[in-house]
Amino acid sequence: MTDRTSSASRLSLELATPAATGCLGVALADVLRPGDVLALQGDLGTGKTALCRAYIRAAVGDPAEEVPSPTFTLVQVYDTPGWAIWHYDLYRLEQPEDAYELDIEDAFEEGVALIEWPDRLGRLLPRRAIHLTLIQTGETSRRVEVEAQPHLLSRLSAAFAAAQAAAK
């Protein structure tokens, strides 16, 4: 469901460079677990795919892992030692129900789902989703705003702290 609960909390982080965005992706690899759904929002060019690439490479343990954008395939699946990562780009999804053909239910239950353009899912986006919005604040800088249930946000705050330390 797309209704966000009133119990959701927020975090914000300034990312001065694209490398800092990558640091956040790497830090997320330490805190995202099976069943987590990361709904990435932001305009074109704000770093959604770059953040996903950094996360995937860190989670699979291979900094050279080829991570193509799923713009045309709509989904790419990656195996980690413990679970699968499902990277979705739903920009071209015509209607929410089409996501069932992309095994989105399996992704929600068995792995980590990274979803670019999550608004295309409408009511199919789980209430437990972590909403991460990237906002361009300068030529190379971004602000990341996260809204999630408090128990998820406490896990994410560790990733934010690690990303800030790594970006310095």
Side-chain angles (χ1 to χ4, degrees):
M1 306 253 328
T2 57
D3 292 340
R4 298 182 192 176
T5 64
S6 60
S7 64
S9 300
R10 295 176 185 263
L11 279 176
S12 182
L13 176 66
E14 298 296 324
L15 302 169
T17 64
T21 302
C23 289
L24 178 58
V26 169
L28 287 171
D30 289 333
V31 297
L32 293 180
R33 299 289 173 254
D36 286 343
V37 177
L38 190 62
L40 295 123
Q41 299 159 310
D43 293 336
L44 288 171
T46 55
K48 297 181 300 292
T49 302
L51 185 127
C52 290
R53 281 187 178 120
Y55 166 78
I56 291 164
R57 288 177 176 143
V60 300
D62 182 357
E65 175 79 21
E66 185 177 340
V67 183
S69 172
T71 299
F72 295 103
T73 59
L74 302 182
V75 64
Q76 295 285 339
V77 181
Y78 303 88
D79 290 319
T80 73
W83 57 82
I85 299 167
W86 303 66
H87 181 195
Y88 292 92
D89 183 330
L90 301 180
Y91 185 78
R92 295 177 39 245
L93 194 72
E94 293 186 23
Q95 55 189 0
E97 292 74 21
D98 292 344
Y100 290 125
E101 295 176 26
L102 303 172
D103 297 324
I104 202 148
E105 291 173 302
D106 292 337
F108 289 163
E109 296 304 318
E110 300 169 9
V112 171
L114 309 175
I115 304 173
E116 298 184 48
W117 305 101
D119 56 311
R120 301 289 203 262
L121 282 178
R123 63 177 176 72
L124 298 181
L125 186 66
R127 292 179 65 118
R128 70 179 190 274
I130 300 162
H131 296 267
L132 189 148
T133 303
L134 290 143
I135 302 161
Q136 190 159 357
T137 57
E139 189 174 322
T140 62
S141 60
R142 312 275 184 274
R143 181 175 64 249
V144 177
E145 295 178 353
V146 178
E147 183 179 347
Q149 296 171 353
H151 72 281
L152 295 171
L153 209 59
S154 66
R155 262 199 287 141
L156 294 172
S157 65
F160 272 41
Q164 282 181 317
K168 289 184 179 182

